[in-house]
Structure formats: structure tokens, C-alpha cells
Amino acid sequence: MATEIRLQDAPGEKAPLFVLPADIDHEGRFIESELHVFPEELRVVTSGVIERSIPLARVTELRAEGLVGNGSLVAVVDGEEQLVVRYTNDHLARYSEMARQVNRMLKGEPYSTILTADERICPKCGRYLPWGSTVCPRCVDKTAVLKRMWQVTKPHVQWLLLGTGIFWVIALLRLAGPQINRMLVNTVLQSGTGTMGQLLFYVGLMVAVAVATNLMHVAQARVMTNLSSRLSRDLRSLVYAKIQELTLTYISRRKTGDLMNRVRRDTNTIQRFIQGQAAAGINEGLLLIGICVIIFAYDWKLAALVILPAPFVVAIAGAIRKRIRIMYHQQWRAGDQADSLLQDVLSGVRVVKAFGQEEREVRRFVRYSHKLAEITARNEKTWNTLFPSLRYIMGVGSFIVLL
């Protein structure tokens, strides 16, 4: 819906050009504040009190950045970036358009005080739609998505079944190794009645299991690579075909780099997930099921002591799951912005050089790269601190058994 915002701050004072809600503070708490944009300054107003004022004469650029669950307005003041306000995603579109109009005003170009950005709200749940999308993630038909994914996977079902069979074989081999080792110790080494023939037999079994496990891992990697590359190829073709069906008006509102990332980068991410995380997750899941069956069949009381810390680990993982997802979504967004900028600049490098904007584009790319590096480093530090701690908590069950 079209939005025109005009507000009289005080009697005798000119109305601001724009007034937008700033409903999150710098610590992420919900507040009731507003950003008032005048021709001479920016004001942050809370309950009628001016908390902050920035003269526009010192500002060279305004930038509305979309984050995860919120956005931020950043001003380049005297050559340095300053966070002005934060806001929920409900106001992202209006802040983006306001920043464009103020930047035009700062350059002395014609600008408009009428914001025509549509606050895209899901008609079912009332939540704000993701930027650049018309689909609500909460209301989308999950069953339809799975059916569509099955249609993509169906031509490669033979590879899927082969990979599933290899997963089961690997799980059985990994469970067989400790059992053979147990029989070797109990029958040959501890009993005192074992023969050299029995010793060689069990050692031979252990070698055979180790060789078979390695061969199965090689087969698994080759099968999953084939499956993921074929799925990635089909998804890439579907996305490209969909882009060709879009209207020229829609495409003109999107960056070339954004469209290229959807075709290339996102499908490559899916391919790496199938090859790496999905394969490892299935392997470890099957192994966990097998171990639980064995230890409960052997001694259910002992098994209960071993898995005693599991509920605590699951509770902690569930509590931090949303935070982890937000962290890595921020990393994905930062990487997407950097790649998109690089592709746009390289495709329009003649325009950049014709107007002598090389230094400006270098500064932009360095800024995006620096942001990506900071987010990546923070995420990796958090991951490598948190999950060793969870593994340690899970291993406490072994100490309980010894007691």
C-alpha cells in the first residue's frame, strides 16, 4: 500500500520529510521511537524527546540494511559509519526507499517525500514477507514443497536407493568392529585358552571389516556426489527456466548478481549439503540407532546411565537452535551481498571506469568483505566453543557408569 508520512513536530516548526518507526533499540529490545528526517538533520525521538540529532551536512550516505528479523539504518558521518536506528522487518521496505530519496537529496538530485513501498504482509498470518519474496515461510504448504522436491528427485531414485543401502552397510560394519574386538578379548586374550588360529581369525576379521568400511565410504562418496550433482543440475535448470518466465518489470527490479546467485550459488549450497552434511547425518543417525539397540539388549540399566545426559543435551540444542540458524543466515546474507556486488561491478566495469568510480567500488567491496569476515569468524568461534561442550556433557554418561 502507498504510504505518505508527514508529521508536525512542534508548533511553528516545519514538518519532517519522513517519519518512520524505530521500534528496536541497539540491544534488540522493543521500544516506541521514531526517526524524523528533516532537510537539515536526522532526529531520533522517543516519547516526544529528541534523543539524538545528526546534521545532514555531515552525512554523505544513508544505507538501510536488512538483517535477520530486523533492519538497521546506517549513516556515513564524516567518513565513518554510524548506526542511527534499528527497526523490525515490517518497515524494511519503507526505510530502503527513504534512504534512496535522502541520498538523492544529499546529491542535489530531485527526490520525493512520498514513500510508495508496499509493506508486504502475509494475508494469512499477518507476518512480514521476506525481502524479495512473495511467499510466507510459515504459511507455505510444506506437503506441496515435499511433493515438488520428490518430483525433482524421482528421476534419480536409483541413486537414492543405492546410497541408502550403502548407509546401512556402513552402519552395520561400524557396529561389527567393536563386537569382533570384544570377542577377541573375551575368547582369546582373557580366557587363556585361545589358540593362535583363533587369534589370526579375529585379527583377519578386524582387517576385513576395516577394508570393507573404507571401500563402502568410497562408494558412498561417489554415489552421493553423483546424486547431488544431478539434483543440482536439475534445480539449476528449473531456477533458470523460472527466471526466463518472469516479467521484464520484475527482473529490472532485481540485481543481476542476485539472480546469478539464485541460479549458481544456492544450488551449489544444496549440492554441498547433500554430499557432506546429509551423508554424515544419515551415517551417524543409523550408527546411533544401532548402538542404542545393542546396549539396551545387553543391559538396559547400563544403557539408561549412558544416555542419562541426552535429555539435557537435546534441551540445550533446542534452546540454541534458533540462535544458530540466525547466525548462519546472517553469514549467508553477507556472502550473498558480497558475491552479488562483485558480479554487478564486473558486469558493468566499463561504466565504473567511464565515470572514474574504481575507488568507490573498491571501498564498497572491502566493506562487504570485512562484514562477511567478521560474521564468519564469530560464527566459527561460537560453533567451536559450543559443540565441544555438548559432546563433553554427552560423555558424562561414561563417567556415571564407572561410578
Side-chain angles (χ1 to χ4, degrees), residues 367-388:
R367 184 173 70 244
Y368 281 119
S369 297
H370 181 69
K371 179 181 177 182
L372 175 60
E374 285 186 337
I375 294 176
T376 302
R378 181 197 65 196
N379 290 354
E380 293 304 315
K381 289 176 183 177
T382 303
W383 180 273
N384 290 307
T385 301
L386 183 62
F387 281 87

Side-chain angles (χ1 to χ4, degrees), residues 91-112:
H91 315 296
L92 178 60
R94 292 194 291 166
Y95 266 94
S96 298
E97 187 167 353
M98 180 274 293
R100 286 195 298 270
Q101 298 302 331
V102 172
N103 286 332
R104 293 175 63 88
M105 181 181 68
L106 294 175
K107 296 175 183 178
E109 300 175 356
Y111 65 92
S112 174

Side-chain angles (χ1 to χ4, degrees), residues 59-121:
V59 177
T60 56
E61 182 187 6
L62 275 185
R63 189 169 64 253
E65 297 183 347
L67 306 176
V68 178
N70 66 92
S72 63
L73 182 69
V74 178
V76 180
V77 183
D78 298 330
E80 296 184 357
E81 293 185 357
Q82 293 186 16
L83 176 61
V84 182
V85 293
R86 293 178 63 188
Y87 45 87
T88 57
N89 272 344
D90 291 352
H91 315 296
L92 178 60
R94 292 194 291 166
Y95 266 94
S96 298
E97 187 167 353
M98 180 274 293
R100 286 195 298 270
Q101 298 302 331
V102 172
N103 286 332
R104 293 175 63 88
M105 181 181 68
L106 294 175
K107 296 175 183 178
E109 300 175 356
Y111 65 92
S112 174
T113 59
I114 299 178
L115 302 181
T116 58
D118 184 13
E119 292 187 7
R120 296 154 303 153
I121 303 297

Side-chain angles (χ1 to χ4, degrees), residues 223-234:
V223 169
M224 296 307 294
T225 299
N226 271 326
L227 176 61
S228 61
S229 61
R230 291 166 187 264
L231 284 175
S232 177
R233 177 199 64 194
D234 292 350

Side-chain angles (χ1 to χ4, degrees), residues 14 64 69 82 114 125 152 166 176 186 292 309 315 328:
K14 292 183 178 179
Q82 293 186 16
I114 299 178
C125 66
V152 177
I166 292 175
N186 294 340
C292 289
Y328 281 94

Side-chain angles (χ1 to χ4, degrees), residues 131-145:
W131 179 250
S133 174
T134 58
V135 178
C136 177
R138 292 180 177 270
C139 300
V140 66
D141 188 349
K142 306 296 191 301
T143 304
V145 173

